Amino acid sequence: DEYMYNVYTLGYWGVIGHRVFKRVKVADLSGIMDKFGRCENGLYWGFTKGATSWVRAYMDERNRRIFVTHEYGARRTHVDDVAAYIANFVQGDETVYCDSSDPDRNDTLNRELQQRIPNHRGNMAMSVYKGSREGLGSKTLTIEYINSFETIIDKNCVNTIKALSSAVWEEDDRTGHVLYGKVEGNDYDHWMDAFIYSMVHKAIKKGRVASYG
């Protein structure tokens, strides 16, 4: 199968069909991830059926590369369980950018992380779109910003691999034209959203996403 060969043998995808993410590959990052500095974190809260999903990534702006190093996923989990896991990785100068639809859980996660990470420097968790104009195509613009980098995903982040490799733009049923801005849903898109959340504030700083200033 050509697609499976490109993704799992060569480690590339994004050139097949209407893939959302370009210049992406899978690699073993175990030998280098400990050398990374401050990382970016995104979290999507699961509800009745979806998994709560967390993605951690390091952005190398000089060399235009994003390294996805860790992920977490669980269904029907509690905030303290999420905090207990990701506190093993999140550093005191980092922020977890969370799904804006559940501000109460975001506030609880912030308190839990502050208790578990004693050297924290302010808010540890906040709504991803706080200070940005969520309704003005922030997701699509952030994807465009991500695609200006090469994204390298650690081989153990299997859900993120599946999420980014299967993400495609919807097509108009009548014309067959690609509907940019509308991503087809799948079982792994919560990890895709978590990855995007981790990069929204970076896109804001570069002027790719409008903010309230």
Coordinates of all heavy atoms in Angstrom, one line a residue, residues 93-166:
D93 N 8.1 26.7 34.0 CA 7.9 27.9 33.1 C 7.0 27.7 31.9 O 7.0 28.5 31.0 CB 9.3 28.4 32.7 CG 10.0 27.4 31.8 OD1 9.6 26.2 31.8 OD2 11.0 27.7 31.1
E94 N 6.3 26.6 31.9 CA 5.5 26.2 30.8 C 4.0 26.4 31.1 O 3.6 26.5 32.3 CB 5.7 24.8 30.4 CG 7.1 24.5 29.9 CD 7.4 23.0 29.6 OE1 6.4 22.2 29.6 OE2 8.6 22.7 29.3
T95 N 3.2 26.5 30.1 CA 1.7 26.6 30.2 C 1.1 25.5 29.4 O 1.5 25.2 28.3 CB 1.2 28.0 29.7 OG1 1.9 29.0 30.5 CG2 -0.3 28.1 29.9
V96 N 0.0 24.9 29.9 CA -0.8 24.0 29.2 C -2.0 24.7 28.6 O -2.8 25.2 29.4 CB -1.3 22.8 30.1 CG1 -2.1 21.8 29.3 CG2 -0.1 22.1 30.7
Y97 N -2.1 24.8 27.3 CA -3.2 25.5 26.7 C -4.4 24.5 26.4 O -4.2 23.5 25.7 CB -2.7 26.2 25.4 CG -1.8 27.3 25.6 CD1 -0.4 27.1 25.7 CD2 -2.3 28.6 25.9 CE1 0.5 28.1 26.0 CE2 -1.4 29.6 26.2 CZ -0.1 29.4 26.2 OH 0.8 30.4 26.5
C98 N -5.5 24.8 27.0 CA -6.6 23.8 27.1 C -7.8 24.2 26.3 O -8.0 25.4 26.0 CB -7.0 23.7 28.6 SG -5.7 23.3 29.7
D99 N -8.6 23.3 26.0 CA -9.9 23.4 25.3 C -10.7 24.5 26.0 O -11.0 24.5 27.2 CB -10.6 22.1 25.4 CG -11.9 22.1 24.7 OD1 -12.4 23.1 24.2 OD2 -12.5 21.0 24.6
S100 N -11.1 25.5 25.3 CA -11.8 26.7 25.9 C -13.2 26.4 26.3 O -13.9 27.2 27.1 CB -11.9 27.8 24.9 OG -10.6 28.2 24.5
S101 N -13.8 25.2 25.9 CA -15.2 24.9 26.2 C -15.4 24.5 27.6 O -16.6 24.4 28.0 CB -15.7 23.8 25.3 OG -15.0 22.6 25.5
D102 N -14.4 24.3 28.4 CA -14.6 23.9 29.8 C -13.7 24.7 30.8 O -12.7 24.2 31.3 CB -14.3 22.4 30.0 CG -14.9 21.8 31.2 OD1 -15.1 22.5 32.2 OD2 -15.3 20.6 31.2
P103 N -14.0 26.0 31.0 CA -13.1 26.8 31.8 C -13.0 26.3 33.2 O -11.9 26.6 33.9 CB -13.8 28.2 31.7 CG -15.2 27.9 31.3 CD -15.1 26.7 30.4
D104 N -14.0 25.7 33.8 CA -13.9 25.2 35.1 C -12.9 24.1 35.3 O -12.1 24.2 36.3 CB -15.3 24.6 35.6 CG -16.3 25.7 35.8 OD1 -16.0 26.9 35.9 OD2 -17.5 25.4 35.7
R105 N -12.8 23.2 34.4 CA -11.8 22.2 34.4 C -10.4 22.8 34.2 O -9.4 22.3 34.8 CB -12.0 21.1 33.4 CG -13.0 20.0 33.9 CD -12.9 18.7 33.2 NE -13.6 18.7 32.0 CZ -13.7 17.6 31.2 NH1 -13.3 16.4 31.7 NH2 -14.4 17.6 30.1
N106 N -10.3 23.8 33.3 CA -9.0 24.5 33.1 C -8.5 25.1 34.4 O -7.4 25.0 34.7 CB -9.2 25.5 32.0 CG -9.5 24.9 30.7 OD1 -9.4 23.7 30.5 ND2 -10.0 25.8 29.8
D107 N -9.4 25.8 35.1 CA -9.0 26.4 36.4 C -8.6 25.3 37.4 O -7.6 25.5 38.2 CB -10.2 27.2 37.0 CG -10.5 28.4 36.2 OD1 -9.6 28.9 35.4 OD2 -11.6 29.0 36.3
T108 N -9.3 24.2 37.5 CA -8.9 23.1 38.4 C -7.6 22.6 38.0 O -6.8 22.3 38.9 CB -10.0 22.0 38.4 OG1 -11.3 22.6 38.7 CG2 -9.7 20.9 39.4
L109 N -7.4 22.3 36.7 CA -6.1 21.8 36.3 C -4.9 22.8 36.7 O -3.9 22.4 37.1 CB -6.1 21.6 34.8 CG -4.8 21.1 34.2 CD1 -4.4 19.7 34.7 CD2 -4.9 21.0 32.6
N110 N -5.2 24.1 36.5 CA -4.2 25.1 36.9 C -3.8 24.9 38.3 O -2.6 24.9 38.7 CB -4.7 26.5 36.6 CG -3.7 27.6 36.9 OD1 -2.6 27.5 36.5 ND2 -4.2 28.6 37.7
R111 N -4.8 24.8 39.2 CA -4.5 24.7 40.6 C -3.8 23.4 40.9 O -2.8 23.4 41.8 CB -5.8 24.8 41.4 CG -6.5 26.1 41.4 CD -7.6 26.2 42.5 NE -8.7 25.3 42.2 CZ -9.7 25.5 41.5 NH1 -9.9 26.7 40.9 NH2 -10.7 24.6 41.3
E112 N -4.2 22.3 40.3 CA -3.6 21.0 40.5 C -2.1 21.0 40.1 O -1.2 20.5 40.8 CB -4.3 19.9 39.8 CG -5.7 19.6 40.3 CD -5.6 18.6 41.5 OE1 -4.6 18.0 41.7 OE2 -6.7 18.5 42.2
L113 N -1.8 21.6 39.0 CA -0.4 21.7 38.5 C 0.4 22.6 39.4 O 1.6 22.3 39.6 CB -0.4 22.1 37.0 CG -0.9 21.2 36.0 CD1 -0.9 21.8 34.6 CD2 -0.1 19.9 36.0
Q114 N -0.2 23.7 39.8 CA 0.6 24.6 40.7 C 1.0 23.9 42.0 O 2.0 24.1 42.6 CB -0.2 25.8 41.0 CG -0.3 26.8 39.8 CD -1.1 28.0 40.1 OE1 -2.0 28.0 40.9 NE2 -0.9 29.1 39.4
Q115 N 0.1 23.0 42.5 CA 0.4 22.2 43.7 C 1.5 21.2 43.5 O 2.3 20.9 44.4 CB -0.9 21.6 44.2 CG -1.9 22.6 44.8 CD -3.2 21.9 45.1 OE1 -3.4 20.7 45.1 NE2 -4.2 22.7 45.5
R116 N 1.5 20.6 42.3 CA 2.4 19.5 42.0 C 3.7 20.0 41.4 O 4.7 19.2 41.5 CB 1.7 18.6 41.0 CG 0.5 17.9 41.5 CD -0.2 17.1 40.4 NE -1.5 16.6 40.8 CZ -1.7 15.4 41.4 NH1 -0.6 14.6 41.7 NH2 -2.9 15.0 41.8
I117 N 3.8 21.2 40.9 CA 5.0 21.7 40.4 C 5.4 22.9 41.2 O 5.0 24.1 40.9 CB 4.9 22.1 38.9 CG1 4.4 20.8 38.1 CG2 6.2 22.6 38.3 CD1 4.0 21.1 36.7
P118 N 6.2 22.8 42.2 CA 6.5 23.9 43.2 C 7.3 25.1 42.6 O 7.2 26.2 43.1 CB 7.3 23.2 44.3 CG 7.9 22.0 43.6 CD 6.9 21.5 42.6
N119 N 8.0 24.9 41.5 CA 8.8 26.0 40.9 C 8.0 26.7 39.8 O 8.7 27.3 38.9 CB 10.1 25.4 40.4 CG 10.0 24.5 39.2 OD1 8.9 23.8 39.1 ND2 11.0 24.3 38.4
H120 N 6.7 26.6 39.8 CA 5.9 27.2 38.7 C 6.1 28.7 38.7 O 6.3 29.3 39.8 CB 4.5 26.8 38.8 CG 3.7 27.4 40.0 ND1 3.2 28.6 40.0 CD2 3.5 26.9 41.3 CE1 2.6 28.9 41.2 NE2 2.8 27.9 42.0
R121 N 5.8 29.3 37.5 CA 6.0 30.7 37.4 C 4.7 31.3 36.9 O 4.6 31.9 35.8 CB 7.1 31.1 36.4 CG 8.5 30.5 36.8 CD 9.5 30.8 35.8 NE 10.8 30.1 36.1 CZ 11.8 30.1 35.3 NH1 11.8 30.8 34.2 NH2 12.9 29.4 35.7
G122 N 3.6 31.2 37.7 CA 2.3 31.8 37.3 C 1.4 30.7 36.8 O 1.4 29.6 37.3
N123 N 0.4 31.1 35.9 CA -0.6 30.1 35.5 C 0.1 29.0 34.8 O 0.9 29.1 33.8 CB -1.6 30.8 34.5 CG -2.5 31.8 35.3 OD1 -2.8 31.6 36.5 ND2 -3.0 32.8 34.6
M124 N -0.3 27.8 35.2 CA 0.1 26.5 34.5 C -0.8 26.0 33.5 O -0.4 25.2 32.6 CB 0.3 25.4 35.6 CG 1.4 25.7 36.6 SD 3.1 25.8 36.0 CE 3.3 24.2 35.3
A125 N -2.1 26.5 33.5 CA -3.1 26.0 32.6 C -4.0 27.2 32.3 O -4.4 27.9 33.2 CB -3.8 24.8 33.1
M126 N -4.4 27.3 31.0 CA -5.3 28.4 30.7 C -6.1 28.0 29.4 O -5.6 27.1 28.6 CB -4.6 29.7 30.5 CG -3.6 29.7 29.4 SD -2.7 31.3 29.3 CE -4.0 32.4 28.9
S127 N -7.2 28.6 29.1 CA -8.0 28.4 27.9 C -7.1 28.8 26.7 O -6.5 29.9 26.7 CB -9.3 29.1 27.9 OG -10.1 28.7 29.0
V128 N -7.1 28.0 25.7 CA -6.2 28.2 24.6 C -6.6 29.5 23.8 O -5.7 30.2 23.4 CB -6.3 27.0 23.6 CG1 -7.7 26.8 23.0 CG2 -5.3 27.1 22.5
Y129 N -7.8 29.9 23.8 CA -8.2 31.0 23.0 C -8.4 32.3 23.8 O -8.9 33.3 23.4 CB -9.4 30.8 22.2 CG -9.2 29.8 21.0 CD1 -9.8 28.6 21.0 CD2 -8.3 30.1 20.0 CE1 -9.5 27.7 20.0 CE2 -8.1 29.3 18.9 CZ -8.7 28.0 18.9 OH -8.4 27.2 17.9
K130 N -7.9 32.2 25.1 CA -8.0 33.4 25.9 C -7.1 34.5 25.3 O -5.9 34.3 25.2 CB -7.6 33.1 27.4 CG -7.7 34.3 28.3 CD -7.3 33.9 29.7 CE -7.5 35.1 30.7 NZ -7.1 34.7 32.1
G131 N -7.7 35.6 24.9 CA -6.9 36.6 24.3 C -6.8 36.5 22.8 O -6.1 37.3 22.2
S132 N -7.5 35.6 22.2 CA -7.4 35.5 20.7 C -8.9 35.4 20.2 O -9.8 35.0 20.9 CB -6.6 34.2 20.3 OG -7.3 33.0 20.6
R133 N -9.0 35.7 18.9 CA -10.3 35.7 18.3 C -10.6 34.3 17.8 O -10.3 34.0 16.6 CB -10.4 36.7 17.2 CG -10.1 38.1 17.7 CD -10.3 39.1 16.6 NE -9.8 40.4 16.9 CZ -10.5 41.4 17.6 NH1 -11.7 41.1 17.9 NH2 -10.0 42.5 17.8
E134 N -11.2 33.4 18.6 CA -11.4 32.0 18.2 C -12.3 31.9 17.0 O -12.1 31.0 16.2 CB -12.1 31.3 19.4 CG -12.3 29.8 19.1 CD -12.8 29.1 20.4 OE1 -13.0 29.7 21.4 OE2 -13.0 27.9 20.3
G135 N -13.2 32.8 16.8 CA -14.1 32.7 15.6 C -13.6 33.1 14.3 O -14.3 33.0 13.3
L136 N -12.4 33.6 14.3 CA -11.9 34.2 13.0 C -10.8 33.2 12.4 O -9.8 33.7 11.9 CB -11.2 35.6 13.3 CG -12.2 36.6 13.8 CD1 -11.5 37.9 13.9 CD2 -13.4 36.8 12.8
G137 N -11.1 32.0 12.3 CA -10.3 31.0 11.6 C -9.0 30.7 12.3 O -8.0 30.3 11.7
S138 N -9.0 30.8 13.7 CA -7.7 30.6 14.4 C -7.2 29.2 14.1 O -6.0 29.0 14.0 CB -8.0 30.8 15.9 OG -8.3 32.1 16.2
K139 N -8.0 28.2 14.1 CA -7.6 26.8 13.9 C -6.9 26.7 12.5 O -5.8 26.1 12.4 CB -8.8 25.9 14.0 CG -8.4 24.4 13.9 CD -9.6 23.5 14.2 CE -9.3 22.0 14.3 NZ -10.4 21.2 14.6
T140 N -7.5 27.2 11.5 CA -7.0 27.0 10.1 C -5.7 27.8 10.0 O -4.7 27.3 9.4 CB -8.0 27.5 9.1 OG1 -9.2 26.8 9.2 CG2 -7.4 27.3 7.7
L141 N -5.6 29.0 10.6 CA -4.4 29.8 10.5 C -3.3 29.2 11.3 O -2.1 29.3 10.9 CB -4.7 31.2 11.0 CG -5.7 32.1 10.2 CD1 -6.0 33.4 10.9 CD2 -5.0 32.4 8.8
T142 N -3.6 28.6 12.4 CA -2.6 27.9 13.2 C -2.0 26.7 12.4 O -0.8 26.4 12.4 CB -3.1 27.4 14.6 OG1 -3.6 28.6 15.3 CG2 -2.0 26.8 15.4
I143 N -2.9 26.0 11.7 CA -2.5 24.8 10.9 C -1.5 25.4 9.8 O -0.5 24.7 9.5 CB -3.7 24.1 10.3 CG1 -4.4 23.3 11.3 CG2 -3.2 23.2 9.2 CD1 -5.7 22.8 10.9
E144 N -1.8 26.5 9.2 CA -1.0 27.1 8.2 C 0.4 27.4 8.8 O 1.5 27.2 8.1 CB -1.6 28.3 7.6 CG -2.8 28.0 6.7 CD -3.4 29.3 6.2 OE1 -2.9 30.4 6.5 OE2 -4.4 29.2 5.4
Y145 N 0.4 27.9 10.0 CA 1.6 28.2 10.7 C 2.5 27.0 11.0 O 3.7 26.9 10.7 CB 1.3 29.0 12.0 CG 2.6 29.3 12.8 CD1 3.5 30.2 12.3 CD2 2.8 28.8 14.1 CE1 4.6 30.5 13.0 CE2 3.9 29.2 14.8 CZ 4.8 30.0 14.3 OH 5.9 30.3 15.0
I146 N 1.8 25.9 11.5 CA 2.5 24.7 11.7 C 3.1 24.1 10.4 O 4.2 23.6 10.4 CB 1.5 23.6 12.3 CG1 1.1 24.0 13.7 CG2 2.0 22.2 12.3 CD1 -0.1 23.2 14.3
N147 N 2.4 24.3 9.3 CA 2.9 23.7 8.0 C 4.1 24.5 7.5 O 4.7 24.1 6.5 CB 1.7 23.7 7.0 CG 0.8 22.5 7.2 OD1 1.2 21.5 7.8 ND2 -0.4 22.6 6.8
S148 N 4.4 25.6 8.1 CA 5.6 26.3 7.7 C 6.9 25.7 8.3 O 8.0 26.1 8.1 CB 5.5 27.8 8.0 OG 5.6 28.0 9.4
F149 N 6.6 24.7 9.2 CA 7.7 24.0 9.9 C 7.7 22.5 9.4 O 6.7 22.0 8.9 CB 7.5 24.0 11.4 CG 7.7 25.3 12.1 CD1 6.7 26.3 12.0 CD2 8.8 25.5 12.8 CE1 6.9 27.5 12.6 CE2 9.0 26.8 13.5 CZ 8.0 27.7 13.4
E150 N 8.8 21.8 9.6 CA 8.8 20.3 9.5 C 8.4 19.8 10.9 O 8.9 20.3 11.9 CB 10.1 19.8 9.1 CG 10.2 18.3 9.1 CD 11.5 17.7 8.8 OE1 12.5 18.3 9.2 OE2 11.6 16.6 8.1
T151 N 7.4 18.9 11.0 CA 6.9 18.3 12.2 C 7.5 16.9 12.3 O 7.2 16.1 11.4 CB 5.4 18.4 12.3 OG1 5.0 19.7 12.3 CG2 5.0 17.7 13.6
I152 N 8.1 16.6 13.4 CA 8.7 15.3 13.6 C 8.1 14.7 14.9 O 8.2 15.3 16.0 CB 10.2 15.3 13.8 CG1 10.8 16.0 12.6 CG2 10.8 14.0 14.0 CD1 12.3 16.4 12.7
I153 N 7.4 13.6 14.8 CA 6.7 13.0 15.9 C 7.4 11.7 16.4 O 7.8 10.9 15.6 CB 5.2 12.6 15.5 CG1 4.5 13.7 14.8 CG2 4.4 12.0 16.7 CD1 3.2 13.3 14.2
D154 N 7.6 11.7 17.7 CA 8.2 10.5 18.3 C 7.4 9.2 18.0 O 6.2 9.3 18.0 CB 8.4 10.7 19.8 CG 9.1 9.5 20.4 OD1 10.4 9.4 20.2 OD2 8.5 8.7 21.1
K155 N 8.1 8.2 17.7 CA 7.4 6.9 17.3 C 6.5 6.4 18.4 O 5.6 5.6 18.0 CB 8.5 5.9 17.0 CG 9.3 5.4 18.2 CD 10.3 4.3 17.8 CE 11.0 3.8 19.0 NZ 11.9 2.7 18.7
N156 N 6.6 6.8 19.6 CA 5.8 6.3 20.7 C 4.5 7.1 20.8 O 3.6 6.7 21.6 CB 6.5 6.3 22.0 CG 7.6 5.2 22.1 OD1 7.4 4.1 21.6 ND2 8.8 5.7 22.5
C157 N 4.4 8.2 20.1 CA 3.1 9.0 20.2 C 2.2 8.5 19.1 O 1.9 9.2 18.1 CB 3.5 10.5 20.0 SG 4.5 11.2 21.3
V158 N 1.7 7.3 19.3 CA 0.9 6.6 18.3 C -0.4 7.3 18.0 O -0.9 7.3 16.8 CB 0.7 5.1 18.7 CG1 2.0 4.4 18.7 CG2 0.0 5.0 20.0
N159 N -1.0 7.8 19.0 CA -2.3 8.5 18.7 C -2.1 9.8 17.9 O -2.9 10.1 17.0 CB -3.0 8.8 20.0 CG -3.5 7.5 20.7 OD1 -4.3 6.8 20.2 ND2 -2.9 7.3 21.9
T160 N -1.1 10.5 18.2 CA -0.8 11.7 17.5 C -0.4 11.4 16.0 O -0.8 12.1 15.1 CB 0.3 12.6 18.2 OG1 -0.1 12.8 19.5 CG2 0.5 13.9 17.5
I161 N 0.4 10.3 15.9 CA 0.7 9.9 14.5 C -0.5 9.6 13.7 O -0.7 10.0 12.6 CB 1.6 8.6 14.6 CG1 3.0 9.0 15.2 CG2 1.8 8.0 13.2 CD1 3.9 7.8 15.5
K162 N -1.5 8.8 14.3 CA -2.7 8.5 13.6 C -3.5 9.7 13.3 O -4.2 9.8 12.3 CB -3.5 7.5 14.5 CG -2.8 6.1 14.5 CD -3.6 5.2 15.5 CE -2.9 3.8 15.6 NZ -3.6 2.9 16.5
A163 N -3.6 10.6 14.3 CA -4.4 11.9 14.1 C -3.9 12.7 13.0 O -4.6 13.1 12.1 CB -4.3 12.7 15.4
L164 N -2.6 13.0 13.0 CA -2.0 13.9 11.9 C -2.0 13.2 10.6 O -2.1 13.9 9.5 CB -0.7 14.4 12.3 CG -0.7 15.7 13.2 CD1 -1.5 15.6 14.5 CD2 0.7 16.2 13.4
S165 N -1.7 11.9 10.6 CA -1.6 11.2 9.3 C -3.0 11.0 8.6 O -3.1 10.8 7.4 CB -1.0 9.8 9.5 OG -1.7 9.0 10.3
S166 N -4.1 11.0 9.4 CA -5.4 10.7 8.9 C -6.2 12.0 8.7 O -7.3 12.0 8.1 CB -6.2 9.8 9.8 OG -6.3 10.3 11.1

